[in-house]
Amino acid sequence: FKEEYSIAFTKVQDIDQIKARYSYLAIPASDLNKADLIDEDEALVQVVCPIEASLAAAVSSMDRNMVVIVYEDERFIRIIAAKEGVIYYLITINAAESFDALADALSGIREMTSLLANSYQEKVTTVYVIGKGEVSLSDLAGHGIATERFDTGKDSPAEARDVVLLGTARRPRY
């Protein structure tokens, strides 16, 4: 990292009475300072967690299988492999610095699914797309990656901020 960072983690499973497996996230301090944007007279923040953990928690509320989440906001494309709210692998692409964001996202998804199959013997059941930007459902489908838009069960498609809020309200494991 080029700046200060914090570590968030969760226990995945116990190996024996002494050892366990953990999932770690290293988060740049600038990502944690988003609470500064909130008007403290209008809002009370009780939970601060990495956006990736919120997304994994939101998707696990609807799908407990191994999934890949492609989340795009105004700055980043985040590709997250998660199962039951635990993040197994994460790739963050800075959209502004990427020469071809779609190619980088495709490469990241393929790398991730291969790693999951070879290292964890996990098969990705669904690739969910959240947010709008350079990577769309049709772009991914055109390159052989079957995707779904993540649906929270409301009548209209879920907005990216709604998914993040849903995941944060579900108390992520990180």
Side-chain angles (χ1 to χ4, degrees), residues 62 150-156 158:
M62 307 287 183
F150 182 70
D151 182 16
T152 57
K154 298 189 315 184
D155 293 336
S156 60

Coordinates of all heavy atoms in Angstrom, one line a residue, residues 62 150-156 158:
M62 N -28.7 -14.3 0.5 CA -29.6 -14.9 -0.5 C -29.0 -16.1 -1.1 O -29.7 -16.9 -1.7 CB -29.8 -13.9 -1.6 CG -30.3 -12.5 -1.2 SD -32.0 -12.6 -0.7 CE -32.3 -10.9 -0.3
F150 N -27.5 -9.1 -9.1 CA -27.9 -9.5 -7.7 C -29.2 -8.8 -7.4 O -29.4 -7.6 -7.6 CB -26.9 -9.1 -6.7 CG -27.2 -9.5 -5.3 CD1 -27.2 -10.8 -4.9 CD2 -27.6 -8.5 -4.3 CE1 -27.5 -11.2 -3.6 CE2 -27.9 -8.9 -3.1 CZ -27.9 -10.2 -2.7
D151 N -30.2 -9.6 -6.9 CA -31.5 -9.2 -6.6 C -31.8 -9.3 -5.1 O -31.7 -10.4 -4.6 CB -32.5 -10.0 -7.4 CG -34.0 -9.5 -7.2 OD1 -34.2 -8.4 -6.7 OD2 -34.9 -10.3 -7.6
T152 N -32.3 -8.3 -4.4 CA -32.5 -8.3 -3.0 C -34.0 -8.8 -2.7 O -34.4 -8.8 -1.6 CB -32.3 -7.0 -2.3 OG1 -33.0 -6.0 -3.0 CG2 -30.8 -6.6 -2.4
G153 N -34.7 -9.1 -3.7 CA -36.1 -9.5 -3.5 C -37.1 -8.4 -3.6 O -38.3 -8.7 -3.5
K154 N -36.7 -7.2 -3.9 CA -37.6 -6.1 -4.1 C -38.1 -6.1 -5.5 O -37.6 -6.9 -6.3 CB -36.9 -4.7 -3.8 CG -36.5 -4.6 -2.4 CD -36.0 -3.2 -2.0 CE -35.1 -2.5 -3.0 NZ -34.6 -1.2 -2.7
D155 N -39.2 -5.3 -5.8 CA -39.8 -5.3 -7.1 C -38.8 -4.7 -8.2 O -38.8 -5.2 -9.3 CB -41.0 -4.5 -7.1 CG -42.1 -5.1 -6.3 OD1 -42.1 -6.3 -6.1 OD2 -43.0 -4.4 -5.8
S156 N -38.0 -3.8 -7.8 CA -37.0 -3.2 -8.7 C -35.6 -3.7 -8.5 O -35.3 -4.2 -7.4 CB -37.1 -1.7 -8.6 OG -36.7 -1.3 -7.3
A158 N -31.8 -4.1 -7.5 CA -31.1 -3.5 -6.3 C -30.1 -2.5 -6.8 O -29.4 -2.7 -7.7 CB -30.4 -4.6 -5.6

